Amino acid sequence: MQLAIAALIALLPIINPFSTAPMFLAITEGDTDAERRDQARKAVIYMICILVAFLIGGSFIMKFFGLSLPGLRIAGGILVAGVGMRMLYPRDNAGQTAAERQESRRKRDVSFTPLAMPSLAGPGAISVTIGLTSLARGWLDFVSIIIGILLAAAVVYITLRLSTRLVRVLGVNGLHAMTKIMGFLILCVGVQFIVNGVVEVAQSPELIEGIIREIDAAREKKAP
């Protein structure tokens, strides 16, 4: 249980469900309580699947596909920034019929992107999960870490479900205004993800060593 609690303590500050709750409300604007509950449940399930997958085979997955954490951070930033832009400038559906609007709303699913990936199971949570594998000495330790992931998922689900009560307090106009505000903040978060990823790439030892080698090679060519 100590390892499970350690996994919970390590993951919760990175996942930060309290910062995801306003975004959850904003991107599910217009959904019924049952639809919001369904989105929250699927997002938490996806989060569990992603983190457990990286816990069991994280290093292999990253190496097999040639992925890096800065690359995941940049890709996640692009996704989040796209969500923010859509919230700031929603599509004009004036030309749609009532049936088309109902069909497009019915097909909208935000549980995987952007809720599960990259908001809940983002690069930070993935890197922490991969790091927890260093503490595992046997399959019981992996089970303990998975229990910690499940505990974190329970906290996330409860937080998202309680956040729907804000709808009754804010009302339709207040929720619409919050959607615009959160759209801008989400856009900023996405851009910051991209900036952090680019900085990590720029500070990588491989890139620095490559630049040094190029400089040394250029000096050798100029030398008499």
Side-chain angles (χ1 to χ4, degrees):
M1 288 306 298
Q2 289 180 346
L3 193 54
I5 294 173
L8 174 64
I9 294 173
L11 284 172
L12 269 186
I14 302 297
I15 296 173
N16 195 3
F18 299 103
S19 65
T20 305
M23 183 180 75
F24 171 71
L25 287 176
I27 62 181
T28 56
E29 182 185 9
D31 291 352
T32 64
D33 187 65
E35 290 170 338
R36 278 197 167 103
R37 183 169 61 250
D38 181 62
Q39 293 288 307
R41 185 181 68 254
K42 290 196 293 185
V44 169
I45 292 173
Y46 286 140
M47 183 196 81
I48 294 171
C49 293
I50 293 169
L51 294 183
V52 171
F54 275 94
L55 173 67
I56 296 173
S59 299
F60 173 77
I61 293 172
M62 301 282 283
K63 291 178 181 177
F64 182 80
F65 290 101
L67 303 177
S68 64
L69 287 176
L72 288 177
R73 203 177 295 275
I74 293 173
I78 293 172
L79 288 174
V80 173
V83 172
M85 286 296 295
R86 286 196 296 273
M87 291 167 62
L88 281 173
Y89 303 103
R91 262 184 209 172
D92 184 12
N93 56 5
Q96 291 182 328
T97 64
E100 288 173 338
R101 285 194 295 270
Q102 182 66 23
E103 180 69 11
S104 63
R105 174 170 292 181
R106 187 181 68 83
K107 287 183 177 180
R108 185 182 63 182
D109 190 339
V110 297
S111 59
F112 187 81
T113 302
L115 280 181
M117 171 74 79
S119 297
L120 297 175
I126 290 173
S127 61
V128 168
T129 303
I130 295 175
L132 288 171
T133 59
S134 63
L135 303 177
R137 297 292 180 268
W139 67 271
L140 283 176
D141 291 338
F142 280 96
V143 172
S144 299
I145 296 173
I146 291 173
I147 291 173
I149 293 174
L150 292 176
L151 292 174
V155 174
V156 170
Y157 181 75
I158 292 171
T159 304
L160 294 182
R161 289 295 300 131
L162 292 178
S163 66
T164 57
R165 296 185 180 181
L166 287 175
V167 178
R168 303 186 187 96
V169 177
L170 295 175
V172 177
N173 293 330
L175 189 60
H176 183 69
M178 190 183 74
T179 300
K180 296 294 185 182
I181 296 171
M182 287 308 302
F184 175 72
L185 294 178
I186 291 169
L187 177 61
C188 294
V189 169
V191 172
Q192 189 61 50
F193 275 9
I194 297 172
V195 170
N196 291 343
V198 172
V199 169
E200 289 179 14
V201 171
Q203 293 177 344
S204 63
E206 294 83 1
L207 180 62
I208 295 174
E209 290 174 2
I211 294 174
I212 293 174
R213 284 197 298 268
E214 291 294 331
I215 294 174
D216 292 339
R219 286 177 178 174
E220 289 177 0
K221 289 181 180 179
K222 290 181 179 180

